[in-house]
Amino acid sequence: MKTIKIIGLIIFLTGMAIWTGALFMGEFSLTQEQLDSFIEEKGIKSELLAKTLEEEVVGETFGTFGFSSAIRGALTDNNVYYDEQIAKYDAAKEWDKKGAQYQYRINNGDFQAFTFNLAKKAGTGFVRENPGLMWILTFGLGILGALMFIFPNLVLLGQPGIKNDHIYHNSATNRGWIAWLVLIYLVAFYLVLYFYSDYVVNWTFILDPISRALNGGDASQWFVYGFMYCVIMITMAVRMYIKYRHNKYQIVRTTSVLFFQIVFAFLIPEIMSSLGKPGYDFKNAFPLDYDFFFEWNLNTLTASGGLGIFILVWGIVLTLVIVPVMVYFFGKRWYCSWVCGCGGLAETLGDPYRQHSNKTMKAWKLERWLIHSVLVFSLVMTLVTLYCYFTGAQAFLGINTNWIKDTYSFLIGAWFAGVIGTGFYPIFGNRVWCRFGCPLAAYLGFVQRFKSRFRITTNGGQCISCGNCSTYCEQGIDVRAYAQKGENIVRSSCVGCGICSAVCPRGVLKLENGPEKGRINPTQVLLGNDVDLMDYVNNEQHSA
């Protein structure tokens, strides 16, 4: 079995190497017809830019990075020229001429999309011409190798039950060199995905046939990400099924997050797009779905007829009614551990790193400051956005709407949720984003802490203080401290994953949705030395 695992690891790494190497394959050669077509499609008015691209790019052959560099260079030169023109007419107080120059500039934030779309047209070579073979050599080998590495655990782990042996003796799960290599790869992946998507055009060629079958169009970098996200979750879910096969809660929960990710977050939006409708993830609630109230989204929904209006109403009802009501009955676990795609990736890909969550008081304080700050940030951004949308103003209380949207998207949407939130799994644990940054988790946490039937009950008399529960709590909660006192666990950050209960060798912990009365008992300490248990039980029965 160990030999199968080693072979599987080699196959997996081969697939990863080909996937990474695909970025450097092929050539990019833009024709005049492609350039003319692109300029007409995008309505580009700058003759200077068209001329520069014609002279410096058309007919030339580039590699991936050379092509991107040439296009971005042309865009930069174009904007430098028109910025100088704007400054010149401003000094001369020729306002009409100054205003006319802006139509020739390309928004700096559009450089990435501009270059990506041109690269889609100009790409040639083995990857583009053989997407099926490349899929087999990348995704196929990756999936096969991963499953060959995972399935032997059915035998190697022995009888069903939690086996966490040697995780602190393994470089991959103890912040060793393997973990750091994984971190570097993940961070680099997210940096390229968010800020240099024109570098990953070859990856999109591999998935173009699947994208056309689902939505009728070529694959974008976000289609690649969504497809990879689902494949990784499915593959790592197999690992979860084997590891937690003794625990029905974990089996059902893993199946649930898979279903919502594949069907709601991936397939339904793609199919809706193929029908000319807004691609919408019906489970994605505000403020996690932070651009729901952005002008472009509101305009798209209101212009999409009845379905668009339904999505608009559904999104508001989901946030204001369904989410808090469900948290009241079931705690935030119904969303964070059963529905959310971020939670789904954390519970599958991130499960090997869950022991790295920081349990110190400093981390807890940082958690509360950070996550609530992000929630306030998202609410202020939305307030400014809605005010400007309905009044036509550009700013509210001196806050420019475009500035605050761009800042939030860059800092929270890209860096915190993506680069840090997932990239740092191997070092900081699998719930970095959920614990420190997710504004929806902060919202759910308020409801769970102050108005919910959910709690984790503990049987203090059975606790042997082994510490498994605290070690594997991905949210950094010192579960053992509660268990030792026999105290209910009611914490706003608890996502109800249930792993603390699954790893407890004595059955001390139980996830419950009982009445609110008696949910928090911080002063009750049940110890055999100073409590007459029979009196205690009789009093409890009498009071009940």
Side-chain angles (χ1 to χ4, degrees):
M1 287 297 167
K2 290 184 179 178
T3 303
I4 295 175
K5 284 179 74 81
I6 293 172
I7 294 173
L9 181 61
I10 293 171
I11 293 175
F12 172 79
L13 292 176
T14 302
M16 286 289 293
I18 296 173
W19 172 255
T20 307
L23 294 177
F24 306 93
M25 297 180 185
E27 297 174 338
F28 293 84
S29 182
L30 189 69
T31 67
Q32 186 64 51
E33 291 75 20
Q34 289 171 334
L35 177 61
D36 293 341
S37 167
F38 180 79
I39 288 175
E40 184 177 352
E41 287 172 13
K42 302 299 178 184
I44 295 169
K45 297 179 179 178
S46 172
E47 293 182 1
L48 174 64
L49 178 59
K51 184 179 179 182
T52 304
L53 291 173
E54 185 177 333
E55 291 177 350
E56 299 183 4
V57 179
V58 171
E60 301 291 332
T61 301
F62 300 91
T64 304
F65 302 107
F67 184 81
S68 297
S69 177
I71 300 297
R72 287 175 183 255
L75 291 169
T76 301
D77 291 344
N78 178 75
N79 282 0
V80 168
Y81 174 79
Y82 283 107
D83 284 343
E84 292 173 351
Q85 293 297 104
I86 291 169
K88 183 181 74 175
Y89 290 124
D90 183 66
K93 301 186 185 304
E94 297 183 50
W95 310 122
D96 290 342
K97 290 184 177 179
K98 174 188 174 185
Q101 306 308 306
Y102 287 100
Q103 63 182 317
Y104 303 120
R105 289 188 85 263
I106 305 298
N107 190 323
N108 291 342
D110 295 334
F111 277 22
Q112 184 179 187
F114 191 104
T115 310
F116 176 87
N117 289 324
L118 269 182
K120 265 305 239 192
K121 289 179 177 292
T124 61
F126 185 81
V127 177
R128 183 164 199 170
E129 293 162 6
N130 301 277
L133 177 60
M134 285 301 298
W135 193 94
I136 293 172
L137 293 175
T138 54
F139 281 94
L141 289 181
I143 295 169
L144 175 65
L147 293 179
M148 288 179 66
F149 187 81
I150 291 170
F151 267 116
N153 288 338
L154 267 173
V155 176
L156 295 175
L157 289 180
Q159 295 297 314
I162 296 295
K163 303 292 189 302
N164 284 323
D165 300 337
H166 308 303
I167 60 167
Y168 288 113
H169 299 145
N170 189 318
S171 180
T173 55
N174 190 30
R175 297 170 176 161
W177 66 273
I178 296 178
W180 280 100
L181 284 180
V182 174
L183 179 147
I184 291 169
Y185 192 91
L186 286 174
V187 168
F189 171 80
Y190 277 99
L191 288 175
V192 170
L193 182 75
Y194 281 114
F195 306 117
Y196 295 95
S197 62
D198 38 315
Y199 291 172
V200 303
V201 168
N202 276 335
W203 285 352
T204 68
F205 291 148
I206 297 174
L207 294 179
D208 273 344
I210 299 175
S211 177
R212 292 186 197 115
L214 285 175
N215 61 38
D218 287 341
S220 66
Q221 76 272 29
W222 298 118
F223 183 88
V224 172
Y225 184 52
F227 186 83
M228 286 184 65
Y229 206 102
C230 293
V231 168
I232 290 170
M233 277 186 61
I234 293 171
T235 307
M236 292 300 286
V238 174
R239 175 186 171 278
M240 294 290 286
Y241 287 138
I242 294 174
K243 182 176 180 180
Y244 299 100
R245 61 189 185 278
H246 67 292
N247 191 304
K248 290 182 181 177
Y249 184 84
Q250 299 304 328
I251 299 294
V252 176
R253 189 173 67 86
T254 301
T255 305
S256 174
V257 291
L258 274 184
F259 169 78
F260 281 103
Q261 173 59 33
I262 295 169
V263 177
F264 278 75
F266 185 67
L267 290 179
I268 290 179
E270 294 297 334
I271 293 171
M272 288 176 68
S273 296
S274 72
L275 300 175
K277 304 296 181 184
Y280 181 68
D281 180 355
F282 284 90
K283 66 173 178 52
N284 207 13
F286 173 84
L288 178 60
D289 185 10
Y290 65 87
D291 57 4
F292 184 78
F293 293 108
F294 281 13
E295 182 180 0
W296 63 267
N297 191 47
L298 294 177
N299 289 337
T300 300
L301 294 179
T302 52
S304 300
L307 179 61
I309 300 300
F310 171 76
I311 291 173
L312 188 57
V313 174
W314 166 259
I316 295 171
V317 171
L318 176 65
T319 300
L320 298 180
V321 180
I322 297 176
V323 162
V325 169
M326 290 290 283
V327 174
Y328 171 75
F329 284 106
F330 305 108
K332 63 194 283 188
R333 62 172 166 161
W334 82 271
Y335 194 89
C336 298
S337 290
W338 289 70
V339 172
C340 181
C342 301
L345 190 69
E347 296 295 335
T348 50
L349 177 65
D351 183 70
Y353 311 112
R354 62 185 317 121
Q355 65 275 6
H356 296 322
S357 62
N358 193 321
K359 278 82 176 177
T360 64
M361 287 297 293
K362 286 184 179 178
W364 189 11
K365 290 179 181 177
L366 177 65
E367 167 194 325
R368 286 182 291 176
W369 274 104
L370 267 181
I371 196 168
H372 295 126
S373 297
V374 174
L375 175 61
V376 171
F377 190 0
S378 67
L379 293 177
V380 170
M381 175 191 68
T382 303
L383 180 64
V384 172
T385 300
L386 287 176
Y387 175 83
C388 293
Y389 178 76
F390 287 110
T391 64
Q394 293 297 312
F396 178 55
L397 298 176
I399 304 173
N400 183 278
T401 180
N402 288 327
W403 173 83
I404 195 169
K405 285 189 295 187
D406 290 345
T407 302
Y408 188 94
S409 300
F410 177 75
L411 293 179
I412 309 300
W415 272 98
F416 208 159
V419 178
I420 298 173
T422 305
F424 281 70
Y425 275 3
I427 303 301
F428 293 150
N430 59 330
R431 286 277 191 174
V432 178
W433 163 246
C434 309
R435 182 183 178 191
F436 294 98
C438 178
L440 180 58
Y443 169 39
L444 301 182
F446 272 125
V447 182
Q448 174 165 284
R449 178 63 181 82
F450 297 108
K451 197 67 179 176
S452 173
R453 297 164 65 93
F454 173 72
R455 86 291 303 273
I456 300 178
T457 57
T458 64
N459 181 352
Q462 291 293 314
C463 179
I464 57 174
S465 302
C466 68
N468 272 352
C469 49
S470 294
T471 299
Y472 297 104
C473 177
E474 58 193 357
Q475 289 292 103
I477 300 172
D478 188 1
V479 181
R480 178 175 58 180
Y482 291 87
Q484 288 172 326
K485 294 184 292 183
E487 180 182 340
N488 288 340
I489 301 174
V490 179
R491 286 277 293 270
S492 59
S493 59
C494 178
V495 293
C497 66
I499 296 295
C500 58
S501 176
V503 299
C504 177
R506 298 297 298 272
V508 171
L509 303 157
K510 186 177 181 182
L511 281 68
E512 295 184 5
N513 302 310
E516 283 187 77
K517 185 178 180 183
R519 194 168 71 106
I520 303 175
N521 58 346
T523 59
Q524 290 182 332
V525 179
L526 186 59
L527 295 175
N529 293 336
D530 52 12
V531 174
D532 186 324
L533 292 177
M534 289 311 299
D535 283 348
Y536 180 83
V537 170
N538 291 334
N539 290 334
E540 287 290 299
Q541 289 177 342
H542 179 72
S543 61

